[in-house]
Amino acid sequence: SQKIEQNSEALNIQEGKTATLTCNYTNYSPAYLQWYRQDPGRGPVFLLLIRENEKEKRKERLKVTFDTTLKQSLFHITASQPADSATYLCALVYSSASKIIFGSGTRLSIRP
Amino acid sequence: DTGVSQDPRHKITKRGQNVTFRCDPISEHNRLYWYRQTLGQGPEFLTYFQNEAQLEKSRLLSDRFSAERPKGSFSTLEIQRTEQGDSAMYLCATLRGSNYGYTFGSGTRLTVV
């Protein structure tokens, strides 16, 4: 079965630095990959989507890369702020789009 | 409010009781999904509907679980004879289309005591 691995440890970085989160998967590549933010007690909020034929996607301070050879996606937050502190979830979507498979998430803390 | 609404936000029940959760989706989104999330884990797929048709069910969805979406509008998820292992956050999500992400509700947190 498909497995997704995200940074197993929480990530703690200084405000203003770039946060980089990793998502690795096994087996076959998805049609596209999504990143979500989740705050405690809330549902996930969609951030970015990248397709298998795209190498990089940007949105404001966010950047996502997708390497199907390495079976890896990297999620970057530049000029990080304490308000960026949350859990970030990687999710794989296969061509049927019948469901998405989530990783367990990485908890990111930005200290002032 | 044009988001996905879930009710109740919290539910505490005794083991063996039945519970029902409701999800009101964004009206123009015809796909509706149910996920379950436990602490420290990502959401796990339970089932999904295309309009009123239930098209896929996870093996996680035992016989005690049933979901409906009458008339392709709101959806309900019922758990019969609850067990402590059912304690989790139950999330509802809708999908506008494959070029967009899922829109999740805030979830229903179930605690079985």
Side-chain angles (χ1 to χ4, degrees):
Chain A
S1 63
Q2 186 64 283
K3 289 185 180 179
I4 306 171
E5 289 184 359
Q6 297 192 240
N7 303 57
S8 56
E9 301 291 328
L11 202 56
N12 194 335
I13 69 167
Q14 182 74 43
E15 181 178 7
K17 301 291 186 184
T18 295
T20 298
L21 284 63
T22 304
C23 174
N24 294 295
Y25 60 91
T26 59
N27 301 336
Y28 44 96
S29 289
Y32 50 98
L33 191 149
Q34 301 177 344
W35 284 88
Y36 290 79
R37 169 184 173 139
Q38 188 172 27
D39 292 289
R42 310 292 294 182
V45 174
F46 172 71
L47 296 174
L48 277 173
L49 175 160
I50 186 165
R51 298 187 181 280
E52 62 177 332
N53 60 352
E54 297 175 316
K55 297 293 184 188
E56 182 179 299
K57 209 72 162 300
R58 290 176 186 261
K59 179 181 176 184
E60 297 173 353
R61 294 184 297 112
L62 308 180
K63 184 178 86 170
V64 173
T65 63
F66 191 9
D67 188 326
T68 55
T69 302
L70 292 178
K71 297 186 178 181
Q72 182 181 78
S73 174
L74 298 178
F75 177 79
H76 307 272
I77 305 175
T78 58
S80 59
Q81 305 166 1
D84 295 325
S85 298
T87 295
Y88 290 86
L89 297 160
C90 165
L92 309 186
V93 184
Y94 292 88
S95 57
S96 66
S98 64
K99 63 187 177 193
I100 52 177
I101 303 172
F102 283 92
S104 57
T106 297
R107 186 185 304 175
L108 175 66
S109 294
I110 309 297
R111 59 183 186 275
Chain B
D1 187 349
T2 58
V4 176
S5 298
Q6 291 190 247
D7 184 68
R9 288 295 311 277
H10 304 275
K11 178 71 178 179
I12 300 173
T13 191
K14 291 184 178 179
R15 190 174 51 185
Q17 297 294 305
N18 299 343
V19 294
T20 300
F21 311 139
R22 177 179 171 122
C23 172
D24 285 275
I26 297 172
S27 58
E28 58 268 27
H29 295 188
N30 56 17
R31 287 192 178 185
L32 185 149
Y33 301 75
W34 285 98
Y35 283 80
R36 180 174 71 184
Q37 186 175 27
T38 54
L39 201 62
Q41 300 298 314
E44 295 175 293
F45 171 78
L46 292 178
T47 188
Y48 102 97
F49 292 84
Q50 172 89 23
N51 300 314
E52 67 273 13
Q54 188 173 18
L55 297 186
E56 188 171 348
K57 290 170 62 173
S58 163
R59 281 173 286 185
L60 292 174
L61 217 65
S62 75
D63 291 346
R64 297 185 297 106
F65 287 70
S66 62
E68 294 183 343
R69 192 183 182 196
K71 302 178 183 177
S73 56
F74 70 92
S75 177
T76 58
L77 178 69
E78 181 183 15
I79 309 174
Q80 296 182 327
R81 305 181 303 282
T82 52
E83 301 172 356
Q84 286 189 320
D86 297 330
S87 296
M89 174 80 87
Y90 289 83
L91 293 161
C92 175
T94 62
L95 182 66
R96 178 180 169 186
S98 60
N99 290 325
Y100 304 91
Y102 287 61
T103 302
F104 282 86
S106 291
T108 293
R109 178 163 296 285
L110 173 67
T111 303
V112 181
V113 298

